Amino acid sequence: MSKLHPPSTLAALGRTWVEAWNARDLERVLTLYDDATVMTSDRIPGLGFDASGTVRGKESLRAYWRKALGLIPNLHFTLIDVYVSPDSLVVFYENERGKKICEYLRVNDAGLIVQGSANHLPQ
């Protein structure tokens, strides 16, 4: 069984995640992730990455996000809420275009993100 994380720790991780993105500090964001992390988003194929919508590993994630950041110079997330479970959190936020997004983030025993999934409203 994996380690249970206190809700306050996971909520703080969600706030830190938003702050790092708003600072446009990709390396700061990546410090929150495990080297073997897996990220899924319907935006991944559109940027020329894996057609399955999944990138695997921190280096692939770095390449994907570096490209995405280059295309969104005014990126900004406004935190709406953070939801927690013993091993995951959902960051509910609004982006710079007014779109509401839920980011599911599962953490390992060390508190690093090992799985992420960006969830957007259907178009």
Side-chain angles (χ1 to χ4, degrees), residues 39-55 64:
M39 176 70 194
T40 303
S41 171
D42 61 349
R43 307 304 197 253
I44 289 171
L47 288 180
F49 291 83
D50 199 291
S52 72
T54 299
V55 292
Y64 164 61

Side-chain angles (χ1 to χ4, degrees), residues 24-120:
R24 297 185 55 83
D25 187 342
L26 181 54
E27 292 308 313
R28 184 173 157 202
V29 173
L30 288 166
T31 64
L32 306 174
Y33 287 77
D34 186 83
D35 288 341
T37 195
V38 175
M39 176 70 194
T40 303
S41 171
D42 61 349
R43 307 304 197 253
I44 289 171
L47 288 180
F49 291 83
D50 199 291
S52 72
T54 299
V55 292
R56 298 180 186 283
K58 194 184 280 192
E59 290 308 311
S60 296
L61 193 55
R62 178 181 280 112
Y64 164 61
W65 280 340
R66 184 177 293 131
K67 185 171 185 180
L69 275 172
L71 298 172
I72 310 170
N74 61 334
L75 179 134
H76 182 81
F77 298 159
T78 301
L79 182 63
I80 297 170
D81 226 330
V82 177
Y83 301 86
V84 300
S85 80
D87 71 346
S88 66
L89 60 148
V90 173
V91 181
F92 180 35
Y93 63 95
E94 185 173 277
N95 70 13
E96 69 288 341
R97 294 180 310 276
K99 303 289 183 182
K100 291 183 177 153
I101 301 165
C102 289
E103 194 93 19
Y104 164 80
L105 305 169
R106 190 169 59 84
V107 299
N108 62 14
D109 288 352
L112 295 172
I113 300 165
V114 292
Q115 180 184 3
S117 180
N119 296 269
H120 305 91

Side-chain angles (χ1 to χ4, degrees), residues 7-21:
S8 60
T9 300
L10 292 171
L13 175 60
R15 289 188 299 276
T16 299
W17 185 89
V18 168
E19 291 164 6
W21 277 113

